[in-house]
Amino acid sequence: MHADTPPDRHRPDPPRVAWRRQMRERVLQEAWTLASQGGWDRVRVGDLAERAEVSRPSIYKEFGDRAGIGQALVERETERFLLGLAAVLDTHRHDVAAALREGISHALDEAARNPFIGAVLTAARGGSDALLPFLTSRPDPVFSSARTLLHSWLVGAVPQATGYQREEAADVAVRLTLSHMLLPTANPEDASERVARTVGAVLGVPGPSAAHPTDTLG
C-alpha cells in the first residue's frame, strides 16, 4: 500500500464501538416509543433496560442518568426535525415566501404526525410533562436550534434584509409556529400562510399568494 493511500472510510467499527452505538439507539428508540405512548413521566430506566435488552448499568454508563436519556432523545429528534426543515427550505430557496410557508407547514405537520412531539405538546398544554424542560430551558433546545437554522438560511435567501430584520423574522417565525403547535387551528394551511405573511412583512418581502376564490374575482 502506498504511503499516501487514504484510510478506508468504510472500515467497520470495532465490535465494542458498534455494540455501544446499537445499544444507544435501541434505548433511545424505546424511550421514544414509551414517551410517545404515555409521556416522559412514565419512562423508567428499568423498563428501557428490559425492552432494549441491555443492563441498567450499561444504560447509566452511556447516558449518566434518566435526565441524560431525555437530553439525548431530544437532541436526536431535534437533529431529525432540523434536517427535514433544512431540506424543505432549500427546495424553495429561490422563492422566499413559498419556502417560509412550506417550512412552517412542515413543522406543523411534524407536530401532528410525530407521536413523540404530539405527546410533548399535549403534556405542555396540561403543564405536566417532565420532558418539556429539555425543549425550552436546556442548552441548545429545539426551538433555539430552529431559530438559528432559519436565521442562517435567511442570510443567503434574503441578502437585502438587514441583520436585525433577519433575526426578528427568525424569532417571529419560530414563536408563531410554536403557538400554532400548542393551539392548532382547524386549517393548518391557513395558519402556515398567515405566519409566512407575517414573517415576510418583517423581512420586507411579499407574502405567499393565496389561491382563495376572492383572488380570482373581477
Side-chain angles (χ1 to χ4, degrees):
M1 179 180 293
H2 296 291
D4 58 352
T5 301
D8 184 0
R9 298 180 182 277
H10 301 288
R11 182 180 300 170
D13 292 324
R16 179 179 297 180
V17 175
W19 179 87
R20 178 179 174 183
R21 179 179 291 112
Q22 293 170 4
M23 180 273 291
R24 181 182 180 87
E25 181 57 29
R26 288 202 308 272
V27 171
L28 290 178
Q29 186 57 41
E30 294 301 337
W32 184 93
T33 300
L34 291 176
S36 299
Q37 294 172 347
W40 180 252
D41 289 334
R42 298 186 180 181
V43 176
R44 298 289 180 268
V45 174
D47 294 334
L48 294 178
E50 181 178 352
R51 291 169 65 101
E53 298 182 342
V54 297
S55 67
R56 285 193 185 191
S58 295
I59 293 178
Y60 284 121
K61 182 177 180 180
E62 177 66 24
F63 297 99
D65 54 17
R66 182 171 173 273
I69 300 172
Q71 184 67 46
L73 180 58
V74 167
E75 289 173 355
R76 187 188 76 161
E77 294 305 302
T78 298
E79 182 178 4
R80 291 181 175 181
F81 172 77
L82 293 179
L83 286 173
L85 178 58
V88 171
L89 292 174
D90 284 339
T91 299
H92 302 277
R93 175 170 290 276
H94 300 296
D95 186 341
V96 175
L100 291 171
R101 181 185 60 221
E102 295 304 317
I104 294 162
S105 179
H106 169 78
L108 297 179
D109 287 345
E110 280 295 295
R113 180 194 64 80
N114 189 318
F116 174 78
I117 296 176
V120 171
L121 293 174
T122 298
R125 287 193 287 268
S128 63
D129 196 274
L131 190 60
L132 191 61
F134 295 114
L135 298 171
T136 56
S137 63
R138 298 298 176 92
D140 196 31
V142 177
F143 305 116
S144 292
S145 299
R147 186 166 53 240
T148 299
L149 169 65
L150 181 55
H151 177 265
S152 297
W153 182 84
L154 289 172
V155 170
V158 195
Q160 71 274 21
T162 67
Y164 175 79
Q165 284 177 307
R166 290 191 288 263
E167 290 179 2
E168 287 295 297
D171 188 70
V172 167
V174 172
R175 290 181 185 276
L176 290 181
T177 302
L178 174 58
S179 71
H180 280 286
M181 286 181 173
L182 292 172
L183 296 172
T185 60
N187 192 332
E189 292 184 3
D190 285 348
S192 299
E193 186 170 322
R194 288 199 302 271
V195 175
R197 286 181 182 276
T198 301
V199 177
V202 175
L203 291 167
V205 300
S209 59
H212 294 307
T214 55
D215 293 338
T216 60
L217 294 179

